[in-house]
């Protein structure tokens, strides 16, 4: 046999094998390289700006994992507001620009949440094995890509039975935020009839807080943005079905008689509104704080209005209100074991049918999906009302 025949024979064998296998992209990619390299596509940015201006799709290769490294295939990855803020360069923690993906200029991959399947594990990996599902242990993993390679210490294994990828892929931020805010600042007493009030109640965190409150026996007031006619009524019914005790609009909260209505709901004020959850800021947050009981806490975890919150002196002097902040990224980095516990509890609730995810809008991502479709989906998260949270759902990649 000639030298040329010796070199090309394995290639012909691989090609023949490829033609006999299933048409799935996963099988197809296994024969692209004789050396076990995995082909991947990532959304990247090399400078800060609006998604439509700075995002692009980059193709690259991942070498076989060694030591404690894992090669992961992304199954689902949500599009969160924090992800957009990182692309814009306005978020407190920003992923570093690196040359690890072989881009001409240092680049970063957006995305902080996701659900992944383990394709391969290095010989030193002990916590997971091929076929397991994992989620990010910390934010900043860079999840908007078909495949990635990380150390096993960067992910948490989740039991995939009874779950969809989008459910597992969206559990690490919003439900964890709601859980910690409901438990870390005040001890709400269901027996005493304690209440909490929150704005942005239609958000992922808001819906999670409503459902956890219902499970733990806490009454709550859910504040949402004004919606006209039947749209507003439908949302009210939806949140009440999740467990909201009362659903009101921003306009109602700002009305002169709102404090009287809250007093009526709370048995003439004998029940306390001991906790407020704020993701809006500005005047709506100040109006909501007015109905808090003396000594209550208002926890801020977002500022969607992009307006500063003004605190009247009377809230501090006469009502002794406490104003706190909560950032789940920082909390998760400091409490990985507690995060793992909360994630496991919420996933069990999902399996039991006791927790419903926020409505989602699936954005299909196949190997052939082009950059324009993906970037348009990201940019679309910035435009007005949406039917649900955008989630990249990965098919044949």
């Amino acid at each position: 046999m000639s030298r040329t025949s010796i070199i090309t024979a394995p290639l012909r064998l691989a090609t023949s094998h490829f033609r006999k296998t299933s048409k799935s992209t996963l099988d197809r990619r296994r024969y692209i390289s004789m050396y076990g390299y995995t082909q991947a596509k990532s959304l990247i940015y090399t400078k800060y700006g609006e998604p439509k201006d700075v995002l692009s799709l980059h193709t690259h290769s991942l070498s076989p994992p060694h030591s404690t490294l894992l090669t992961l295939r992304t199954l689902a990855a949500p599009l969160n507001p924090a992800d957009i803020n990182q692309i814009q360069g306005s978020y407190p923690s920003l992923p570093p620009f690196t040359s690890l993906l072989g881009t001409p200029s240092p680049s970063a991959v957006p995305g902080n949440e996701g659900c992944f399947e383990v394709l391969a594990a290095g010989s030193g990996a002990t916590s997971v094995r091929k076929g397991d599902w994992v989620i990010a242990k910390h934010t900043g993993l860079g999840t908007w890509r078909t495949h990635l390679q990380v150390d096993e210490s960067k992910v948490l294994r989740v039991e995939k039975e009874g779950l969809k990828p989008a459910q597992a892929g969206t559990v690490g931020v919003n439900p964890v935020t709601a859980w910690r805010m409901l438990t870390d600042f005040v001890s709400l007493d269901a027996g005493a009839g304690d209440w909490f009030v929150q704005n942005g109640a239609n958000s992922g965190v808001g819906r999670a807080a409503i459902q956890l409150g219902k499970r733990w026996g806490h009454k709550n007031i859910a504040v949402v943005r004004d919606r006209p006619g039947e749209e507003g009524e439908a949302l009210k019914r939806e949140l009440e079905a999740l467990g909201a005790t009362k659903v009101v609009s921003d306009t109602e909260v700002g009305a002169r008689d709102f404090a009287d209505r809250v007093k009526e709901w709370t048995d003439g004020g004998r029940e306390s509104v001991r906790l407020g959850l704020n993701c809006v800021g500005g005047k709506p947050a100040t109006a909501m704080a007015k109905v808090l009981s003396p000594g209550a806490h208002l926890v801020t975890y977002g500022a969607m209005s992009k307006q500063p919150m003004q605190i009247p002196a009377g809230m501090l002097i006469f009502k002794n209100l406490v104003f706190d902040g909560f950032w789940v990224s920082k909390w998760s980095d400091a409490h990985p074991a507690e995060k793992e516990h909360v994630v496991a509890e919420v996933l069990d609730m999902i399996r039991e049918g006791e927790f419903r995810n926020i409505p989602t809008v699936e954005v299909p991502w196949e190997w052939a999906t082009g950059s324009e479709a993906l970037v348009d989906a990201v940019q679309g998260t910035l435009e007005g009302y949406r039917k649900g949270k955008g989630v990249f759902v990965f098919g044949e990649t």
Side-chain angles (χ1 to χ4, degrees):
M1 182 180 292
S2 69
R3 175 180 173 84
T4 301
S5 298
I6 293 173
I7 293 174
T8 58
L11 293 176
R12 288 198 299 271
L13 178 60
T15 302
S16 174
H17 193 169
F18 158 60
R19 288 170 180 164
K20 294 177 182 178
T21 56
S22 110
K23 294 182 179 180
S24 78
T25 308
L26 181 56
D27 287 338
R28 181 168 70 248
R29 275 188 14 265
R30 286 178 179 169
Y31 296 97
I32 289 177
S33 168
M34 294 175 59
Y35 303 101
Y37 281 75
T38 299
Q39 298 301 299
K41 288 186 178 182
S42 303
L43 277 175
I44 63 166
Y45 57 102
T46 59
K47 61 181 180 179
Y48 300 122
E50 292 304 306
K52 62 183 177 62
D53 298 325
V54 299
L55 286 181
S56 62
L57 193 60
H58 173 68
T59 303
H60 56 102
S61 298
L62 300 174
S63 61
H66 60 86
S67 186
T68 55
L69 289 178
L70 309 174
T71 298
L72 308 178
R73 181 172 75 94
T74 313
L75 303 177
L79 287 65
N80 289 318
D83 303 329
I84 307 301
N85 294 153
Q86 286 184 327
I87 297 168
Q88 295 167 330
S90 60
Y91 201 66
S93 65
L94 300 170
F97 291 107
T98 74
S99 300
L100 295 177
L101 300 185
T103 50
S105 301
S107 61
V109 179
N112 289 286
E113 278 192 291
C115 175
F116 314 91
E117 177 189 12
V118 178
L119 286 186
S123 59
T126 59
S127 60
V128 298
R129 60 184 180 181
K130 182 179 178 181
D132 283 347
W133 283 11
V134 297
I135 64 172
K137 183 178 289 186
H138 308 287
T139 55
L141 192 63
T143 60
W144 294 1
R145 42 183 157 182
T146 61
H147 303 79
L148 64 158
Q149 195 168 85
V150 299
D151 190 85
E152 66 174 338
S153 64
K154 302 294 185 182
V155 295
L156 296 173
R157 180 184 178 276
V158 297
E159 181 55 58
K160 59 186 176 183
E161 183 179 356
L163 296 176
K164 297 178 181 179
Q167 293 173 322
T170 55
V171 74
V173 174
N174 291 336
V176 174
T177 299
W179 186 298
R180 299 320 311 184
M181 291 194 300
L182 288 175
T183 58
D184 286 358
F185 297 92
V186 299
S187 297
L188 294 173
D189 186 344
D194 286 347
W195 291 64
F196 69 91
V197 59
Q198 61 166 335
N199 54 31
N202 187 38
S203 67
V205 173
R207 287 168 175 262
I210 289 171
Q211 294 176 86
L212 292 172
K214 177 183 179 181
R215 186 177 180 90
W216 298 333
H218 305 319
K219 301 174 184 179
N220 64 91
I221 303 169
V223 183
V224 297
R225 288 184 294 181
D226 290 283
R227 285 169 170 79
E230 177 56 27
E231 182 182 357
E233 290 301 313
L235 178 59
K236 180 178 179 179
R237 292 192 296 269
E238 184 181 357
L239 297 184
E240 287 175 342
L242 290 179
T245 311
K246 299 292 181 181
V247 181
V248 296
S249 69
D250 282 334
T251 298
E252 291 176 273
V253 174
R256 291 180 178 272
D257 67 341
F258 185 64
D260 293 331
R261 295 173 66 190
V262 173
K263 185 176 181 179
E264 179 183 345
W265 298 337
T266 57
D267 192 20
R270 284 180 283 274
E271 296 172 345
S272 299
V273 184
R274 299 190 58 214
L275 179 66
L277 309 179
N278 167 44
C279 66
V280 176
K283 292 181 179 180
T286 304
M288 187 176 72
K290 291 179 180 179
V291 302
L292 292 174
S293 301
H297 286 240
L298 182 71
V299 185
T300 293
Y301 66 98
M304 291 191 299
S305 71
K306 298 184 179 179
Q307 297 297 318
M309 181 178 172
Q310 297 182 350
I311 305 172
M315 290 186 181
L316 302 173
I317 300 170
F318 305 117
K319 297 186 71 175
N320 196 30
L321 297 186
V322 181
F323 294 82
D324 305 282
F326 182 78
W327 184 20
V328 72
S329 299
K330 185 176 181 179
W331 181 89
S332 297
D333 290 343
H335 304 89
E338 291 182 58
K339 176 181 178 178
E340 187 171 2
H341 167 73
V342 173
V343 165
E345 290 284 338
V346 174
L347 291 179
D348 281 344
M349 289 176 63
I350 292 174
R351 295 186 186 96
E352 296 165 3
E354 296 296 321
F355 189 94
R356 292 173 56 190
N357 267 27
I358 185 174
T360 59
V361 176
E362 294 188 355
V363 180
W365 187 334
E366 308 286 341
W367 184 256
T369 303
S371 177
E372 183 178 359
L374 300 175
V375 174
D376 285 349
V378 176
Q379 188 67 33
T381 64
L382 300 174
E383 299 171 1
Y385 290 118
R386 292 169 287 155
K387 295 182 179 179
K389 175 187 289 291
V391 179
F392 287 127
V393 177
F394 295 77
E396 293 189 348
T397 57

